[in-house]
Amino acid sequence: DTAVSQTPKYLVTQMGNDKSIKCEQNLGHDTMYWYKQDSKKFLKIMFSYNNKELIINETVPNRFSPKSPDKAHLNLHINSLELGDSAVYFCASSQLLGPNYGYTFGSGTRLTVV
Amino acid sequence: GIQVEQSPPDLILQEGANSTLRCNFSDSVNNLQWFHQNPWGQLINLFYIPSGTKQNGRLSATTVATERYSLLYISSSQTTDSGVYFCAVGSGGSNYKLTFGKGTLLTVNP
């Protein structure tokens, strides 16, 4: 069973379209995240949720709207896609700090806007 | 915000060699993790190590929090160790945000 699963794995779409990426974790973790990896492999936080509550919104444009229906799911909806949104989007989850603490990442969604 | 610098940016090794990757950070941290991104893009957590030393097989890590650096040691490297190694830190009492370094691209040749 995949611990953190994202769908779709690849997404190619035209500028101006609206798209969603889904993420689910079966680890029982309380916290979920969206990270963006650009073409130079730089990883940057977008959003953090803890028990369905938004904790971090890292100056992400309003066109990006996360939704967490329950603590096992964190989806990302993107409106009016732009060329600059092309990147790999990673979902991750973590439990409370402790000796076994650490992020578990999904396999990523490669978004290409044309 | 906190700055994270990793060195070297690129490293090429022959199989069987040892290596040390370094991560410097600009402020005190309460969270430090090392990740490996394999050539297929998968990010794997290697260590959670805000201080002290840990070992897992051929990999070990040491963080000296008072001096604001962490080291990742890879011994007897294998071609499957190739990929990008990221250091990521959390600070300011927040457990909800990691700031990543730019990574070290490791290539292990057979």
Side-chain angles (χ1 to χ4, degrees):
Chain A
D1 258 354
T2 304
V4 180
S5 59
Q6 292 179 231
T7 54
K9 190 168 177 59
Y10 299 97
L11 192 49
V12 181
T13 188
Q14 289 189 328
M15 272 183 4
N17 284 351
D18 304 338
K19 290 292 177 186
S20 292
I21 306 172
K22 295 187 175 182
C23 179
E24 175 182 3
Q25 55 97 0
N26 63 3
L27 298 166
H29 288 170
D30 291 322
T31 310
M32 295 186 73
Y33 314 83
W34 281 110
Y35 278 80
K36 178 180 179 180
Q37 186 171 44
D38 64 22
S39 58
K40 296 183 178 179
K41 300 267 190 189
F42 185 63
L43 279 151
K44 187 170 165 56
I45 181 74
M46 298 176 70
F47 301 104
S48 297
Y49 271 75
N50 187 59
N51 275 320
K52 303 190 301 177
E53 282 193 39
L54 178 66
I55 304 294
I56 297 278
N57 179 343
E58 194 73 358
T59 61
V60 179
N62 290 339
R63 298 182 296 103
F64 290 79
S65 52
K67 282 190 171 50
S68 182
D70 55 61
K71 74 173 193 176
H73 295 84
L74 180 60
N75 304 322
L76 184 64
H77 187 77
I78 316 170
N79 291 325
S80 303
L81 278 155
E82 301 177 357
L83 293 176
D85 297 331
S86 295
V88 181
Y89 292 84
F90 283 97
C91 177
S93 71
S94 70
Q95 190 49 298
L96 297 174
L97 285 177
N100 296 318
Y101 174 84
Y103 276 34
T104 302
F105 277 90
S107 57
T109 296
R110 181 174 294 278
L111 172 65
T112 304
V113 183
V114 297
Chain B
I2 192 167
Q3 305 297 312
V4 182
E5 290 185 8
Q6 292 187 240
S7 59
D10 299 278
L11 186 58
I12 300 175
L13 299 174
Q14 287 298 120
E15 207 167 19
N18 303 329
S19 61
T20 301
L21 281 56
R22 188 176 179 102
C23 171
N24 292 334
F25 41 94
S26 61
D27 205 347
S28 58
V29 299
N30 57 6
N31 188 342
L32 189 147
Q33 300 182 50
W34 282 97
F35 297 90
H36 175 221
Q37 186 167 36
N38 65 26
W40 296 271
Q42 180 68 40
L43 278 158
I44 306 295
N45 185 284
L46 299 175
F47 294 103
Y48 164 63
I49 186 162
S51 63
T53 298
K54 288 187 178 179
Q55 179 152 8
N56 184 1
R58 297 180 296 103
L59 272 58
S60 64
T62 294
T63 298
V64 183
T66 52
E67 297 187 21
R68 299 183 184 168
Y69 73 88
S70 183
L71 302 173
L72 179 69
Y73 304 97
I74 304 174
S75 64
S76 304
S77 57
Q78 301 176 357
T79 55
T80 52
D81 295 331
S82 295
V84 183
Y85 288 81
F86 290 103
C87 169
V89 303
S91 66
S94 170
N95 297 324
Y96 302 113
K97 169 184 170 180
L98 286 180
T99 299
F100 280 75
K102 293 184 178 180
T104 292
L105 174 60
L106 175 66
T107 303
V108 181
N109 292 321

